[in-house]
Structure formats: C-alpha cells, structure tokens
Amino acid sequence: MHPVAPGDILFIEKQEKLNLIHTENNVYKIHQTLSKLAEKLGGNFLRVHKSFIANMDRISRIREVGNRSYEIEFDGYDKVALMSRYKFEEHKHRFTPL
C-alpha cells in the first residue's frame, strides 16, 4: 500500500479490472471501483468518462479531438485522460475547450 494525497492525483483510469491512479511521478494500481473512489475523493474530482476521474485542480487544458470527444491534459505529464461528449455537455460551464 502506498498512501497518496488526493492533491497529488492527476486522474484515475479504469483498465480492465484495475484502476490506475496517475500522479506526476508514479502510477498506482488499486482494486476499488471508480464509483467508490469518486465518493471518497469528493468535490475536486469529476467523473469525466465511464473510465476516468480527473482532478479539476490539476487540469491544464481540454481539447476537442473529434467526434465530439475530448482529451484532458495535465501540466508536466505526457498521458491524457479522456472526456466523453456527454460529460463535457453536462459540465461545460466549468471548462473552455481549446
């Protein structure tokens, strides 16, 4: 077990039966569901896709990539999280796509 401060989390990604917690320096595997993780993490974290939760405070850019889907970028991190068009529509008042 590795304690991870919520503020260090960039995003959480579901891959098959595991969830991957992405931080700037590491990726941690966890077996809890995204729904339970979202409940525990609270307000700064948003379910942006059926397979992704993003930390709102760590997003540097959201860009449209076609077919009304979006990629979320984080400063200093080369991997992206995906955002569905439905979640973008639901929360677009919080974002400005680039």
Side-chain angles (χ1 to χ4, degrees), residues 9-86:
I9 297 171
L10 301 172
F11 66 95
I12 303 170
E13 170 186 17
K14 180 179 180 189
Q15 282 194 355
E16 298 179 19
K17 294 184 180 185
L18 283 176
N19 289 310
L20 304 176
I21 297 175
H22 292 260
T23 67
E24 287 181 21
N25 300 314
N26 290 303
V27 177
Y28 301 98
K29 295 176 183 176
I30 189 166
H31 291 280
Q32 287 188 342
T33 66
L34 283 182
S35 296
K36 288 191 184 223
L37 289 168
E39 285 176 23
K40 288 181 180 181
L41 291 169
N44 289 339
F45 290 85
L46 181 65
R47 186 81 178 256
V48 293
H49 186 277
K50 66 180 180 180
S51 299
F52 290 90
I53 296 171
N55 183 342
M56 301 288 292
D57 293 336
R58 303 298 300 269
I59 293 172
S60 64
R61 178 178 157 172
I62 299 172
R63 65 185 184 95
E64 191 170 3
V65 292
N67 195 23
R68 295 181 292 157
S69 60
Y70 300 83
E71 284 183 346
I72 300 172
E73 298 176 0
F74 304 88
D75 280 332
Y77 198 66
D78 62 343
K79 296 189 178 173
V80 297
L82 300 179
M83 178 178 235
S84 72
R85 64 180 180 249
Y86 305 110

